[in-house]
């Protein structure tokens, strides 16, 4: 298998792992544990589902690992296309990973407080979950900053459909705008969520393209010529 294709598919694999851990952590586990506006219910859920709460922490850590690997491999994939933009993908992706570490620590503390109460356990675990939620809400800025250079590299490389590149850029901008609207217009939740749709489409398209196709064939044909020593000109 060509090195570029192998790098693309590994990148897609890590990105897929990031998506799976994120969906399971946010849309499955967290939804079953955290009850907005009802600290007692949240505490009761954590006590009754301790294993699920700890699984949520593990998923958060899984996001950290897969996000870090995806960030590094995206840099490796696109570094010959645009070294500055590829470093941006890596840097912004690693910021997301750091936020994940902090969030995992908050969720782990909430799970511990639920079984070994400190002070007002219900209020404390609710606050820990709210801080975790706030971290990820603010981190939408870096979700956007991660997607914009990714889309730019897609557009510059020609290795993938240009429409994918534009959707990633638009999704990145949407994520950044949603981070501000979340706090400036808290009642506009429908708009805030809608702004993330292009990003979701672009990310799943990117994952599928990397895993199934890797890169376009012309990129593979061109790759060896970049390393070939020019032949001397006759005469």
């Amino acid at each position: 298998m060509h090195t570029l294709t192998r790098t693309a598919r590994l990148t897609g694999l890590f990105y897929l792992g990031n998506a799976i851990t994120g969906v399971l952590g946010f849309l499955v586990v967290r939804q079953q544990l955290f009850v907005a506006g009802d600290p007692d219910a949240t505490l009761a859920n954590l006590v009754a589902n301790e294993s699920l709460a700890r699984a949520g922490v593990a998923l958060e850590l899984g996001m950290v690992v897969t996000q870090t690997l995806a960030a590094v491999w995206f840099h490796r994939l696109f570094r010959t296309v645009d070294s500055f933009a590829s470093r941006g993908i890596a840097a912004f992706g690693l910021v997301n990973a750091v936020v994940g570490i902090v969030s995992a620590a908050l969720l782990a503390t909430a799970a511990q407080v639920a079984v070994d109460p400190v002070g007002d356990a219900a209020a404390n675990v609710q606050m820990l979950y709210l801080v975790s939620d706030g971290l990820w809400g603010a981190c939408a800025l870096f979700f956007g900053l991660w997607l914009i250079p990714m889309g730019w590299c897609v557009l510059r490389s020609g290795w993938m459909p240009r429409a994918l590149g534009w959707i990633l850029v638009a999704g990145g901008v949407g994520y950044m705008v949603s981070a501000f609207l979340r706090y400036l217009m808290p009642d506009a939740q429908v708009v805030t969520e809608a702004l993330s749709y292009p990003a979701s489409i672009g990310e799943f398209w990117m994952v599928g393209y990397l895993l199934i196709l890797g890169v376009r064939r012309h990129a593979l044909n061109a790759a060896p010529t970049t390393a070939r020593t020019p032949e001397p000109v006759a005469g």
Side-chain angles (χ1 to χ4, degrees), residues 77-83 86 152-159:
L77 177 65
F78 286 129
R79 62 187 174 184
T80 60
V81 174
D82 188 321
S83 61
S86 69
W152 172 252
C153 285
V154 169
L155 292 170
R156 286 208 61 182
S157 68
W159 296 348

Side-chain angles (χ1 to χ4, degrees), residues 60-80:
E60 205 93 347
L61 292 174
M63 278 193 288
V64 172
V65 173
T66 52
Q67 174 71 75
T68 300
L69 292 172
V72 172
W73 252 257
F74 266 117
H75 168 63
R76 186 175 181 180
L77 177 65
F78 286 129
R79 62 187 174 184
T80 60

Side-chain angles (χ1 to χ4, degrees), residues 17-106:
N18 186 239
I20 291 173
T21 52
V23 168
L24 291 176
F26 280 98
L27 300 183
V28 178
V29 174
R30 190 176 294 233
Q31 296 298 321
Q32 295 184 53
L33 297 174
F34 176 65
V35 181
D38 193 341
D40 291 327
T42 300
L43 177 61
N45 288 339
L46 290 172
V47 172
N49 302 282
E50 182 181 352
S51 296
L52 185 63
R54 296 191 182 280
V57 177
L59 287 168
E60 205 93 347
L61 292 174
M63 278 193 288
V64 172
V65 173
T66 52
Q67 174 71 75
T68 300
L69 292 172
V72 172
W73 252 257
F74 266 117
H75 168 63
R76 186 175 181 180
L77 177 65
F78 286 129
R79 62 187 174 184
T80 60
V81 174
D82 188 321
S83 61
F84 180 77
S86 69
R87 287 195 296 269
I89 299 172
F92 298 136
L94 291 175
V95 170
N96 293 333
V98 171
V99 170
I101 292 173
V102 177
S103 178
L106 293 168

Side-chain angles (χ1 to χ4, degrees), residues 120-189:
D120 186 338
N124 287 336
V125 297
Q126 190 80 351
M127 181 61 69
L128 289 164
Y129 266 86
L130 286 171
V131 174
S132 170
D133 185 63
L135 273 171
W136 285 118
C139 195
L141 280 174
F142 282 93
F143 290 151
L145 289 171
W146 143 273
L147 291 178
I148 291 172
M150 186 188 300
W152 172 252
C153 285
V154 169
L155 292 170
R156 286 208 61 182
S157 68
W159 296 348
M160 301 160 191
R162 289 186 64 82
L164 172 57
W166 286 117
I167 287 176
L168 288 169
V169 171
V173 173
Y175 256 136
M176 294 181 68
V177 173
S178 73
F180 289 96
L181 289 184
R182 176 186 174 102
Y183 301 106
L184 293 175
M185 300 175 62
D187 295 330
Q189 186 176 356

